[in-house]
Amino acid sequence: MQTLKRRMAPAKRRAPTGTTGKRRSRKRLSRPKISGRRLLVAAVAVFLLFSVGRSVLPALGIEAPGLPSFGGGGDDAPTTPVTKAPKAPTVDLNGVMVPGGGEPMITLNPGLVRLGGSVTVNGSGFDQGSVIEVYLGSPATAAQPSGKTKPSKGAAAKPVQVGTAKAGKYGIFTLNFPFPTKMTTPVLEVTAQARGSDKVAKAEAAVAQGAGQATLSAIVGKPGDVINLTVKGFSPGESLAVYWGRISGDPALTLKADEDGSVGKTPIKVGVTAVGTTSLVVVGKTSGAAASAPFQVLRLYPSIKLAPYAVKATQSITFSGAGFAPGERVLVRLNAAGGQPVMAVTTDGAGGFKGAGLTMPYQLKGAQSLVFIGEQSRAATSSGFTILPYTPQARTNAYGGLPGTVVNFYATQFAPNEAVHVYAKTSKGAKGDLVSAFRVNKAGTARAVGQYTIPGNTENSVIFELRGQLSGSTATVNFKVDSSGGPVDIPTPKPYVLPKDLEK
């Protein structure tokens, strides 16, 4: 500073006199004086500007364009790359090393999935607004410049993109996608990859094993109706047993799965099972996998037609039925819903039958009822009919005569081929004695059969009763005996001995 003062002092002494000198003198005297303290402060400020601008400000993330950096690089010197935020540390939680947080994550709902079912992917920890690509499989985690990903080396199968989502305000997204219908592996990996970023998250979807799927074209019907069945999720090529309302015994149908473990639309008949809500069950004979489909079984309404509605013993009654389960036996009982059936008939594919019949026995009299019950379906119905009595007619070879007249008999409308016993009563109230017997033909008719001689002591009339031994029916003939005018010498007839072959 002393040197500066000395340099300025001679200038005042050499200033020329006159007008010009005065002007110059005034100009020099008008400039402000710069103190040494001010110069020192200015120098320090410049130094701080350059040092802070190239060291402290970049560290704080503040750009200072135009400022040269120390080291002579200037504006052409490379800048320091931005440092990525460090990942959260791994911590020990209850003896298990777990991420400290902030990492992308996805969860699956459900995690145990059925083939062809819907899966929901819930993700978090991604960048707000980023595009998330979801794959079934495991693509490479490094994003390509084009935004596409490449399958990782050694992948068992090519990953398949199943959807795209956009992360929301907090890096959260939700995506639904249909799971494949073909079973490839018990566990499939689901990957969520942020497009153009290294952020990726994975989760495992377990395929439900031993639980195939069965779908029916209709959910309501009655036994015998035809519906379509579709099956998937079984082992390739295995045999499939189809049951209605049960899982054991003889299957209603046996199918064969294709190479994908599936069966396309196959027509089947609704089987015999309890009325109401039931299930069709498909069981894989090799894998043991099972599938079921609910079904509402409607009630059967069987019907019976009889012909004729009135018959006599030894005559047949025929009947036809409809509305039973296809291919089942229909048990036929008389006057009862239980006990030993008198016969069984098998229905056709439509649940009906024709041309069945029964021959009525002699013991049945009056109103009767036939009960029909499906052996499997238990569907039941009944129909009534009547057993008519035999009403035979008889006459003798003469309407009357004197004692000693030989009498023969004519009969009609008895039961076929039955034995007819003839009883004679010579007075009212008498018991009657067996005096003759004969057998009618298959039409219930006999002509000039049997023989009886009117006793000599008979007066007024003889009453003949002809009794059928199978039908229990009776025909009566009144034979008038004329007066002989005195005793008639006719031997008393010996008691009649019934032949063995005419007992019934």
Side-chain angles (χ1 to χ4, degrees), residues 99 168 191 233 257 281 298 302 322 428 441:
T191 303
V281 182
L298 301 178
K428 291 183 179 181
N441 60 19

Side-chain angles (χ1 to χ4, degrees), residues 312-315 362 390-394 410-420 438-447 470-471 473:
K312 295 179 180 179
T314 73
Q315 293 179 344
Y362 287 107
Y390 279 92
T391 56
Q393 296 181 6
Y410 292 78
T412 60
Q413 299 184 30
F414 278 94
N417 300 312
E418 72 174 331
V420 178
F438 58 89
R439 186 176 299 277
V440 296
N441 60 19
K442 62 180 181 181
T445 301
R447 298 180 180 89
L470 294 176
S471 64
S473 58

